[in-house]
C-alpha cells in the first residue's frame, strides 16, 4: 500500500522539476527573511536568482548544528513568531539543545510524512499503535502520534518509561504495532519475559524503530525474539523529526527519503565535495517546503549512502542506506576508524553474546584503549569459565580481523549494562577524564 500514490511514485523528471521550483522558492524565502542566510549568500557571492537547477545546489552554503546554536533560540526562524504553532528541541545527544519551530502547515506536512512512513512500513488505519517514543520536546512522541492519527490508526500515547506497565499495556490493549528505539524494544522484550509474557504470542506484528543507529543483525534478532517485522525510520529534529525517510516493508533495503519535501546529498565530510550516488559519506538535507525553520544544505553528520535504483515497492523516491552512525560517534582508535554499529554487527553474529553492549574508550599513557563490554546470554552465564574465556577471545579475534583494531573484550553479567528508554548510550569515552 502507498499512502500518497501521486506524490510517492512521481517519475524522476517530474520530481526533479518540483524540487527545482521549491528550491528556488526556498532560496528566496530565506534570503528575504533570515539575516543569517542573507549574510551567507552575500559572502558566497550568490543571489537566489543564481539557482536555476539542482546542480546549482553545490553553490549554496552549508548549515551546521553550530549555526542553530549560534542563533539560539529563534534566530533562524523564517516567519513571524505568531505563525509558529509549536516548538521542539533536539535531544541534545551531542551538546546544547537546538530549538525548532513549526507553522500549522509544517505540522500538517509532518503528519503526512509520518502517515506515508507508517504505510510504507506496512501499517494501515486498522492498526493499533503503541507509541513508546518520548512525548515532549523530543520530536519522536508527538511526531509519531499525529502521523498515526493522520493515517486513521488508533494511537496509544504511552510515551517512555515505566517499562513493566508498558508490557502489560501491550498485552491488554493488543497493540499491533509499536514505535520506539530498537534498543528499547529489547528492553521491553526482557521485561515481558520476566512478567511471563511471550511477545510472540501477542497481536503485535510490526515495529517501527529509529532514533538511533542499529544494524541488520539487530533487526533479525528483534524480529526473531518478538515475532514481528522490524522496519527502520529516520529523522532529526532540525529537518523535521521522525519520518524524513522510511524503509518500505516490500524491499526492507534502505529508507525512502520523501523527496518532494527533502532534497538529499551525500558529501565528503572532510572536503565538503558532493559524492556520486553509491558512495558513502555524510548526509546533507535541504528542506524544500518547511516554513518555520527552513534549512539549506543541513549537515546531519549521519553517515549513509544514496541509492537511486528503482524499488520493487513502486515508490520513486531515493533510498538512503541504513545510517552507519554519526560522524561524531566514530571512534578513532590508534588511527583506525570504528563505528559502534560495526562492533554491534560482530557481537550479534557471535553465538553466546547478547545484543547489550557498551564500548568504553580509555587512555593509557598516550595509547587509546577500546574495551567492549558485552553481556553474555543467559544460557551461557552459568557455563564454565573456560567457555566464557573462549567466547571473549573469539569476539576479540573477529574484531581484529574485520576492523583491524585490538579491543579488550569483557564479558559482563546479564542485565548489568544500563538499559535505556530512549537512545542507547553505546560509547563511554573516558579519555578526557
Ligand atoms: P539529537 O541530535 O540531539 O539526538 P534528534 O533527537 O533529532 O537529536 O536525533 C536525530 C538523530 O538521531 C539523527 O541525526 C541520527 O543521528 C539519529 N537517528 C534517527 N533515526 C535513526 C535511524 N533510523 N538510524 C540511525 N540513526 C538515527
Ligand atoms: Zn521501496
Ligand atoms: K525515544
Amino acid at each position: 500500500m502507498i499512502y500518497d500514490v501521486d506524490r510517492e511514485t512521481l517519475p524522476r523528471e517530474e520530481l526533479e522539476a518540483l524540487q527545482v521550483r521549491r528550491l528556488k522558492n526556498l532560496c528566496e524565502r530565506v534570503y528575504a527573511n533570515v539575516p543569517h542566510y542573507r549574510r551567507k549568500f552575500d559572502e558566497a557571492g550568490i543571489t537566489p536568482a543564481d539557482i536555476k537547477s539542482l546542480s546549482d545546489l553545490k553553490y549554496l552554503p552549508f548549515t551546521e548544528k553550530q549555526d542553530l546554536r549560534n542563533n539560539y533560540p529563534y534566530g533562524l526562524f523564517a516567519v513571524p513568531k505568531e505563525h509558529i504553532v509549536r516548538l521542539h528541541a533536539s535531544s541534545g545527544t551531542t551538546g546544547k539543545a537546538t530549538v525548532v519551530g513549526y507553522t500549522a502547515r509544517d505540522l500538517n506536512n509532518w503528519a503526512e510524512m509520518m502517515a506515508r512512513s507508517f504505510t510504507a512500513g506496512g501499517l494501515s488505519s486498522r492498526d493499533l499503535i503503541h507509541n513508546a517514543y518520548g512525548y515532549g520536546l523530543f520530536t519522536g512522541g508527538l511526531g509519531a502520534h499525529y502521523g498515526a492519527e493522520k493515517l486513521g490508526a488508533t494511537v496509544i500515547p504511552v510515551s517512555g518509561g515505566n517499562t513493566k506497565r508498558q508490557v502489560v499495556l501491550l498485552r491488554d490493549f493488543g497493540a499491533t504495532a509499536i514505535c520506539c528505539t530498537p534498543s528499547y524494544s529489547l528492553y521491553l522484550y526482557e521485561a515481558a519475559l520476566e512478567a511471563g509474557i511471550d511477545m510472540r504470542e501477542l497481536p503485535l506484528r510490526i515495529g517501527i524503530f529509529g532514533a538511533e543507529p542499529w544494524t541488520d543483525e539487530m533487526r533479525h534478532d528483534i524480529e526473531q525474539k518478538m515475532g514481528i517485522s522490524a522496519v527502520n525510520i529516520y529523522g532529526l529534529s532540525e529537518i523535521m523529526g521522525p519520518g524524513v525517510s522510511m524503509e518500505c516493508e516490500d524491499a526492507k533495503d534502505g529508507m525512502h527519503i520523501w523527496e518532494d519535501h527533502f532534497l538529499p546529498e551525500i558529501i565528503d565530510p572532510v572536503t565538503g565535495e558532493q559524492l556520486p550516488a553509491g558512495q558513502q559519506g555524510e548526509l546533507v538535507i535541504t528542506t524544500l517546503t518547511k516554513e518555520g525553520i527552513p534549512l539549506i544544505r543541513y549537515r546531519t553528520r549521519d553517515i549513509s549512502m544514496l541509492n537511486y535504483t528503482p524499488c520493487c515497492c513502486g515508490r520513486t523516491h531515493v533510498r538512503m542506506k541504513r545510517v552507519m552512525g554519526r560522524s561524531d560517534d566514530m571512534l578513532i582508535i590508534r588511527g583506525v576508524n570504528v563505528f559502534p554499529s560495526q562492533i554491534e554487527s560482530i557481537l550479534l553474529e557471535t553465538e553466546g553474546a547478547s545484543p547489550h553492549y557498551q564500548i568504553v574508550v580509555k587512555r593509557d599513557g598516550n595509547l587509546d584503549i577500546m574495551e567492549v563490554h558485552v553481556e553474555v546470554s543467559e544460557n551461557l552465564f552459568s557455563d564454565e569459565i573456560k567457555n566464557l574465556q573462549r567466547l571473549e577471545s573469539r569476539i576479540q579475534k573477529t574484531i581484529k580481523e574485520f576492523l583491524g583494531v585490538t579491543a579488550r573484550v569483557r564479558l559482563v553479567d546479564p542485565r548489568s549494562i544500563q538499559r535505556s528508554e530512549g537512545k542507547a548510550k553505546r560509547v563511554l569515552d573516558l579519555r578526557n577524564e
Side-chain angles (χ1 to χ4, degrees):
M1 274 292 290
I2 296 182
Y3 183 78
D4 186 342
V5 180
D6 289 348
R7 292 285 165 158
E8 293 176 61
T9 64
L10 263 188
R12 180 132 300 267
E13 251 171 53
E14 286 175 46
L15 192 53
E16 289 187 356
L18 178 67
Q19 289 178 322
V20 175
R21 271 203 315 279
R22 289 184 165 176
L23 179 64
K24 286 182 182 170
N25 172 273
L26 167 75
C27 290
E28 277 158 22
R29 281 190 290 130
V30 297
Y31 193 77
N33 301 310
V34 186
H36 166 84
Y37 279 122
R38 176 181 286 261
R39 202 179 60 245
K40 285 272 197 174
F41 275 55
D42 290 347
E43 277 168 16
I46 44 169
T47 69
D50 294 329
I51 303 305
K52 298 191 176 73
S53 72
L54 289 184
S55 60
D56 294 330
L57 187 61
K58 58 178 179 289
Y59 303 121
L60 292 173
F62 288 118
T63 309
E64 307 205 30
K65 198 159 186 122
Q66 194 55 42
D67 293 317
L68 277 97
R69 291 192 177 128
N70 293 346
N71 290 282
Y72 178 89
Y74 307 134
L76 294 185
F77 287 17
V79 296
K81 288 290 158 25
E82 61 266 32
H83 294 176
I84 298 288
V85 296
R86 197 196 299 163
L87 295 179
H88 274 290
S90 83
S91 9
T93 313
T94 57
K96 189 175 167 182
T98 49
V99 180
V100 289
Y102 303 76
T103 65
R105 184 189 276 170
D106 289 337
L107 288 182
N108 188 55
N109 282 338
W110 187 8
E112 289 260 341
M113 295 310 103
M114 276 305 299
R116 278 188 198 180
S117 299
F118 280 138
T119 309
L123 270 56
S124 75
S125 60
R126 287 183 299 279
D127 279 289
L128 233 76
I129 307 177
H130 180 109
N131 184 14
Y133 279 125
Y135 280 65
L137 280 177
F138 172 62
T139 50
L142 288 170
H145 182 97
Y146 287 104
E149 287 192 354
K150 175 73 86 181
L151 180 63
T154 308
V155 60
I156 312 169
V158 192
S159 191
N162 208 339
T163 304
K164 282 191 180 138
R165 177 159 170 263
Q166 297 224 9
V167 170
V168 175
L169 290 177
L170 270 172
R171 183 196 59 198
D172 293 353
F173 291 1
T176 55
I178 182 168
C179 296
C180 61
T181 57
S183 55
Y184 189 59
S185 78
L186 285 171
Y187 186 10
L188 278 169
Y189 165 77
E190 285 180 340
L193 274 187
E194 242 162 51
I197 297 170
D198 181 354
M199 278 201 153
R200 276 171 299 205
E201 313 262 278
L202 302 181
L204 198 64
R205 59 184 193 92
I206 292 176
I208 310 281
F209 301 128
E212 65 183 7
W214 56 311
T215 57
D216 256 326
E217 289 80 8
M218 179 76 92
R219 185 217 302 270
H220 297 138
D221 188 57
I222 293 171
E223 289 188 328
Q224 184 261 324
K225 281 182 171 149
M226 302 177 45
I228 60 173
S229 165
V231 272
N232 199 2
I233 186 162
Y234 171 86
L236 63 168
S237 58
E238 291 84 353
I239 296 302
M240 178 175 80
V244 170
S245 69
M246 175 72 194
E247 199 168 56
C248 60
E249 58 154 354
D250 317 60
K252 277 194 180 174
D253 181 21
M255 299 173 277
H256 290 283
I257 302 177
W258 307 122
E259 274 191 279
D260 46 342
H261 295 272
F262 309 110
L263 183 57
E265 307 163 71
I266 294 287
I267 62 161
D268 178 323
V270 179
T271 65
E273 293 291 313
Q274 274 182 349
L275 295 175
Q279 279 197 37
Q280 178 172 292
E282 178 180 346
L283 176 68
V284 169
I285 300 177
T286 298
T287 65
L288 293 173
T289 53
K290 248 201 343 182
E291 297 177 332
I293 176 165
L295 295 181
I296 290 197
R297 302 191 82 198
Y298 183 69
R299 293 187 61 159
T300 66
R301 309 198 210 174
D302 292 322
I303 304 298
S304 183
M305 198 188 277
L306 294 177
N307 175 8
Y308 286 90
T309 58
C311 185
C312 62
C313 72
R315 292 177 181 83
T316 51
H317 297 208
V318 67
R319 282 175 285 168
M320 61 182 267
K321 201 180 150 189
R322 178 182 282 287
V323 172
M324 183 165 200
R326 301 181 185 231
S327 51
D328 325 67
D329 284 344
M330 190 181 77
L331 296 165
I332 304 179
I333 306 293
R334 286 174 243 162
V336 182
N337 301 349
V338 179
F339 278 102
S341 60
Q342 294 175 302
I343 303 279
E344 178 176 304
S345 299
I346 291 172
L347 295 177
L348 279 152
E349 299 251 281
T350 310
E351 203 177 324
S354 81
H356 303 285
Y357 68 96
Q358 192 163 45
I359 299 165
V360 182
V361 192
K362 296 177 176 166
R363 182 159 287 155
D364 187 1
N366 284 325
L367 216 55
D368 289 334
I369 311 243
M370 177 169 74
E371 285 184 3
V372 177
H373 296 193
V374 55
E375 292 180 13
V376 239
S377 60
E378 305 262 1
N379 52 349
L380 217 97
F381 182 50
S382 51
D383 218 342
E384 287 176 47
I385 287 286
K386 72 168 193 302
N387 284 344
L388 294 179
Q389 283 168 344
R390 210 173 288 151
L391 177 59
E392 257 176 19
S393 57
R394 187 150 23 104
I395 297 172
Q396 198 156 323
K397 207 172 137 232
T398 318
I399 291 176
K400 177 81 195 175
E401 198 175 300
F402 283 95
L403 307 180
V405 64
T406 306
R408 288 185 190 160
V409 176
R410 291 244 165 103
L411 296 181
V412 299
D413 295 348
R415 322 263 165 129
S416 62
I417 288 173
Q418 167 104 53
R419 301 291 186 261
S420 143
E421 286 162 5
K423 298 172 191 262
K425 189 157 174 46
R426 300 299 191 192
V427 179
L428 208 61
D429 197 336
L430 307 176
R431 279 181 291 193
N432 297 318
E433 301 206 342

